[in-house]
Amino acid sequence: MRIIAIANQKGGVGKTTTAVNLAAALAAVGRKILLLDLDPQGNATSALGVESDGSRSLYGPLIGQGSVKDNILSSPVENLWLVPAGLDLAGAEIEVARMDDHLTRLRDALGFLATETGFDCAFLDCPPSLGILMTNALAAAHELLVPLQCEYFALEGLSKIVQVVEQIRQSEANPGLAIGGIVMTMYDGRTNLSQQVVGEVRSHFPEVIYETVIPRTIRLGEAPSFGKTILDYDPHGTGALAYRELAREFLDRQIRSGGMPRD
């Protein structure tokens, strides 16, 4: 059972879009997926059409009150479960930072997943910052998946993520953490810029960048406002096709690495 952190310290790069739709695409082929929303804004929660009343989130488990299991909800998507987010997570940034084991609170709270047989994979949707919640996710994850927008400053942002990963390793909070994949998002094949950025990232990180690129489409932006994944909102569109292909590529990598069993 693999725990994957989906993170980028920059907002607006398609991070939550990737977390929700990759999880949904894997669920659609029969995989049991747990999505944990770590962003106080709760965008992954609302994107799945779940209305959070604030009573369930990772806040309690992070500060030692209750378990993650007690906060898991079924989502409208078959085979996909959710730990929703609430504004109380913003308070966790301050409270957890005061604790001696502030880097490993989430890792300890997710310890049950090591022997949990109900899920094939867990995704941690991180907030767009380098704060306590994101560093906790990196300390808890087996690997990091980085959504990267096809824009000029992409490599600069990626270098910062690489530095954070190295800091987490050196702190011994998670010595085995690795960047397991880079997903290029908001790709526009009509522009030279998109093609150049993908080429640059591919030349620097050839072994981890995904072949699948996620296109820039209006439908991907619209789907969350209807509380639907792109697979339900526009099942035959380019966005849905891209995330299905990304799921196939992700699953193949996980199977080859031994991170996920075959059907």
Side-chain angles (χ1 to χ4, degrees):
M1 221 285 303
R2 300 288 281 178
I3 300 174
I4 315 292
I6 301 181
N8 189 321
Q9 81 277 5
K10 187 177 184 299
V13 299
K15 175 185 60 62
T16 295
T17 298
T18 295
V20 169
N21 290 300
L22 175 57
L26 289 167
V29 295
R31 296 294 174 161
K32 309 290 186 183
I33 307 297
L34 176 62
L35 176 61
L36 301 101
D37 192 348
L38 270 167
D39 190 342
Q41 299 177 83
N43 290 334
T45 300
S46 59
L48 285 172
V50 176
E51 292 188 14
S52 176
D53 60 5
S55 64
R56 299 195 189 195
S57 76
L58 285 167
Y59 172 75
L62 279 169
I63 63 171
Q65 297 178 2
S67 70
V68 174
K69 276 187 175 183
D70 294 335
N71 290 277
I72 297 175
L73 300 174
S74 58
S75 83
V77 178
E78 186 178 3
N79 295 324
L80 177 57
W81 286 262
L82 172 72
V83 176
L87 287 174
D88 54 0
L89 279 172
E93 286 277 3
I94 299 171
E95 294 181 55
V96 173
R98 296 170 178 163
M99 300 176 177
D100 292 336
D101 56 348
H102 60 276
L103 279 180
T104 58
R105 300 294 298 181
L106 183 60
R107 186 186 71 187
D108 295 341
L110 295 179
F112 75 97
L113 289 175
T115 56
E116 174 66 51
T117 58
F119 303 111
D120 293 308
C121 184
F123 289 113
L124 306 173
D125 183 37
C126 301
S129 71
L130 294 174
I132 284 291
L133 294 174
M134 179 175 168
T135 52
N136 259 261
L138 296 182
H142 293 103
E143 62 186 75
L144 171 63
L145 178 64
V146 184
L148 204 63
Q149 187 177 359
C150 294
E151 64 169 23
Y152 182 74
F153 293 110
L155 280 175
E156 181 179 316
L158 187 55
S159 68
K160 292 180 180 177
I161 295 173
V162 171
Q163 291 173 11
V164 173
V165 169
E166 187 58 32
Q167 289 171 357
I168 293 292
R169 286 178 184 155
Q170 292 179 357
S171 72
E172 298 188 357
N174 190 356
L177 179 64
I179 295 179
I182 298 171
V183 180
M184 303 306 299
T185 63
M186 302 181 185
Y187 178 83
D188 187 343
R190 299 169 299 179
T191 67
N192 289 331
L193 179 60
S194 283
Q195 297 174 38
Q196 289 170 357
V197 171
V198 171
E200 282 290 313
V201 176
R202 201 176 298 282
S203 67
H204 285 83
F205 300 91
E207 295 183 359
V208 295
I209 188 172
Y210 277 88
E211 290 295 328
T212 304
V213 295
I214 307 301
R216 181 187 294 276
T217 75
I218 294 175
R219 296 294 193 183
L220 277 172
E222 291 176 342
S225 65
F226 291 89
K228 293 183 177 181
T229 71
I230 194 62
L231 280 71
D232 290 324
Y233 182 69
D234 186 28
H236 304 296
T238 56
L241 293 175
Y243 275 109
R244 288 193 187 98
E245 185 58 35
L246 178 63
R248 281 192 286 270
E249 195 175 349
F250 174 87
L251 192 56
D252 182 60
R253 286 192 185 191
Q254 292 297 319
I255 290 172
R256 282 191 282 111
S257 67
M260 197 179 290
R262 295 183 182 276
D263 285 334

